[in-house]
Amino acid sequence: MREGKAGKLDISRFCGPEMSGHLESALDPAPPVNERVTLVVDGTHFVVDPAVFTAHPDTMLGRMFGPGRQHNFTRPNGKGEYEIAEGIGASIFRVVLDFYRTGILRCPDGVSVAELRDACDYLCINFDYSTVKCRDLSALLHELSNDGARRQFEGFLEELVVPAMVASAQEGERECHIVVLTDDDTVDWDQEHPPPMGEDYSQIIYSTKLYRFFKYIENRDVAKALLKERGLKNIRIGIEGYPTCKEKVKRRPGGRSEVIYNYVQRPFIQLSWEKEEGKSRHVDFQCVRSKSVPNLAAMAEGVSRCGTTPAPQVDELDRLNGPAPHLPPMTQPQSDS
């Protein structure tokens, strides 16, 4: 666990699993009755009775000021004050204190719902419609939708997306292009004249629910963030045209046939798990000594002296990439003064 300066805390100490030493914790004396502590948040001092925090033991502050003070992990600074919630503004923390007193997070006008959400995540406070009240319903619903989208895509990922990625990996691929079609879509390609854009290399998922999920750009952003957390790279999620069936066949001069396909707009996912991506894009040309190209300098001079050692053969890439051969300067005509 990381060490901060005196009084500043690592959230992982309080929001993780229960630590060992329950017997020692149980024997620690409880804090004195009517004890007051001073909290410093964003340069503002708050004098609080720690009992309001211990009433919510599953939150970070409840663990900090609970029985035994979590094995003395909570330490004051030199003035006896507790510097906490680094990065959280004082106005946000006032809303948090109201939650400990009333059980409700009342977000006033002028306070960002997104910032309040970040503070709740940091302090391990449940953020949902039962605990948050605000006038800006749009911002509140946006945060709740992000939570719901994340939970929903986690299910889609395990049930639908990962099997498609595994199918590509088992074929030796290190990237995957997935097209999401609806349950009612039908793909009927002409075997002799398939679409010309390489769609036959795409994995197809038939799921109207996933199709509707990707309809919203915010959901695509949530999915992209979750895929990135899972270690995937080069993630692109969007909407593209996909050929489902042929509409007509045109006859071109010379007897050649051209199939016109019907395209529908459907979501796609493109991602990679390649480790050596940079090296895969590098082409290592092998240099082969030429047996027919003479030395350029000798060609320029037009001299072939009998009995002299033949000029060395020049590799084709060396000739292209090396410095230009030195040619004798041309005599400039004299001008009349």
Side-chain angles (χ1 to χ4, degrees):
M1 290 180 283
R2 75 173 186 266
E3 293 294 336
K5 67 181 182 180
K8 291 189 177 179
L9 304 160
D10 183 358
I11 185 174
S12 62
R13 298 182 177 183
F14 306 100
C15 297
E18 292 291 335
M19 292 175 287
S20 59
H22 294 286
L23 180 60
E24 298 175 3
S25 177
L27 296 177
D28 286 338
V33 179
N34 296 327
E35 178 190 11
R36 310 288 285 182
V37 296
T38 300
L39 309 180
V40 181
V41 180
D42 192 26
T44 303
H45 293 70
F46 297 88
V47 180
V48 187
D49 182 354
V52 301
F53 300 137
T54 58
H56 300 270
D58 293 333
T59 65
M60 189 185 88
L61 294 176
R63 291 172 181 261
M64 283 173 54
F65 296 100
R69 300 286 168 90
Q70 290 294 325
H71 305 276
N72 294 323
F73 284 152
T74 309
R75 294 186 178 90
N77 59 19
K79 299 179 181 180
E81 303 165 340
Y82 295 88
E83 299 179 17
I84 64 171
E86 184 177 4
I88 297 178
S91 60
I92 295 290
F93 193 72
R94 289 190 182 92
V95 178
V96 171
L97 287 181
D98 287 340
F99 164 79
Y100 281 102
R101 298 186 182 103
T102 66
I104 298 295
L105 291 158
R106 300 188 182 278
C107 186
D109 294 339
V111 173
S112 168
V113 177
E115 292 181 5
L116 179 60
R117 168 61 191 272
D118 291 341
C120 289
D121 289 344
Y122 181 89
L123 297 171
C124 303
I125 296 175
N126 188 33
F127 185 96
D128 58 32
Y129 184 67
S130 64
T131 58
V132 182
K133 304 298 180 184
C134 67
R135 290 182 55 83
D136 190 352
L137 289 179
S138 176
L140 175 60
L141 293 174
H142 175 77
E143 297 298 330
L144 298 180
S145 292
N146 284 344
D147 288 343
R150 183 179 179 88
R151 288 192 300 268
Q152 193 172 20
F153 187 71
E154 285 175 346
F156 289 140
L157 179 62
E158 298 300 330
E159 181 182 354
L160 302 173
V161 179
V162 169
M165 295 163 53
V166 170
S168 293
Q170 290 175 341
E171 295 178 357
E173 300 288 344
R174 298 186 183 274
E175 57 186 358
C176 188
H177 186 96
I178 302 171
V179 177
V180 181
L181 302 181
T182 68
D183 295 328
D184 297 329
D185 285 335
T186 301
V187 177
D188 183 18
W189 292 350
D190 189 297
Q191 296 298 324
E192 297 182 358
H193 304 282
M197 299 178 62
E199 285 86 353
D200 49 329
Y201 294 101
S202 300
Q203 298 286 344
I204 300 177
I205 293 176
Y206 290 94
S207 173
T208 301
K209 291 183 178 180
L210 185 55
Y211 161 77
R212 289 178 55 83
F213 176 86
F214 281 136
K215 179 175 65 174
Y216 304 103
I217 189 171
E218 291 94 341
N219 287 357
R220 300 201 291 268
D221 290 340
V222 170
K224 188 182 298 184
L226 182 57
L227 291 171
K228 187 175 181 180
E229 290 175 9
R230 300 292 292 269
L232 298 164
K233 303 184 299 181
N234 300 327
I235 303 165
R236 293 179 57 232
I237 302 177
I239 306 293
E240 67 180 359
Y242 188 78
T244 54
C245 59
K246 60 182 180 181
E247 286 186 342
K248 58 184 177 179
V249 179
K250 287 186 176 181
R251 298 295 180 183
R252 294 299 185 186
R256 185 171 59 90
S257 299
E258 180 182 357
V259 178
I260 306 299
Y261 280 91
N262 175 58
Y263 281 75
V264 294
Q265 297 296 311
R266 294 293 180 263
F268 74 91
I269 309 172
Q270 184 171 322
L271 41 79
S272 168
W273 52 91
E274 186 178 4
K275 298 298 183 182
E276 302 291 344
E277 179 185 1
K279 294 182 180 179
S280 297
R281 301 296 183 267
H282 173 70
V283 179
D284 186 13
F285 293 100
Q286 292 186 352
C287 296
V288 180
R289 291 289 179 182
S290 171
K291 296 182 180 180
S292 59
V293 180
N295 181 273
L296 290 181
M299 289 181 64
E301 294 175 2
V303 178
S304 177
R305 294 188 176 86
C306 180
T308 59
T309 303
Q313 299 295 321
V314 179
D315 178 77
E316 186 71 13
L317 289 182
D318 291 340
R319 181 175 65 84
L320 295 175
N321 299 328
H326 177 72
L327 298 178
M330 296 181 62
T331 302
Q332 298 293 332
Q334 297 290 331
S335 60
D336 295 334
S337 58

